[in-house]
Amino acid sequence: MSVVDVIASALVLLGVTFTLLGAIGLQRFPDVFARMHAVSKPVTLGLGLTLLGAALHLDAPGAKVKLLLVVVLQLTTAPLSSHMIGRAAYRAGTELSPDTTIDEVTAAELEHG
């Protein structure tokens, strides 16, 4: 095994770990807003690390470019989509978890009229 193979394997393993943690957070967190946070951040990082590890392992330059393009698209679309889902859920009146102590959106609306 070469050094590149070890690094690629480590990246894939780390990426899978982040994705697993995101899935556990999806099951354990109490409301849509916490779940959205648990899914968007670690799963995006997990997918990125996994694909970067795969890109290191592959020899074909075209395949590497495709994998890196997927990483870039994931990094741009995941935060935007999770933000829009959160706004839509809040505006639809989704209940916050009883553990939520501060509603920053309502506080900001009260300050600005």
Side-chain angles (χ1 to χ4, degrees), residues 41-64:
K41 293 187 185 292
V43 172
T44 299
L45 182 60
L47 178 68
L49 290 172
T50 302
L51 293 179
L52 287 175
L56 282 177
H57 185 70
L58 294 175
D59 292 329
K64 289 182 180 192

Side-chain angles (χ1 to χ4, degrees), residues 32-33 36-37 40 76-94:
V32 68
F33 306 105
M36 177 185 57
H37 179 76
S40 64
T76 57
T77 59
L80 293 172
S81 62
S82 65
H83 177 75
M84 296 309 293
I85 290 169
R87 283 183 65 156
Y90 188 84
R91 287 184 177 178
T94 303

Side-chain angles (χ1 to χ4, degrees), residues 62-84:
K64 289 182 180 192
V65 170
K66 288 177 187 176
L67 289 178
L68 293 177
L69 180 62
V70 170
V71 170
V72 169
L73 291 173
Q74 177 72 16
L75 288 173
T76 57
T77 59
L80 293 172
S81 62
S82 65
H83 177 75
M84 296 309 293

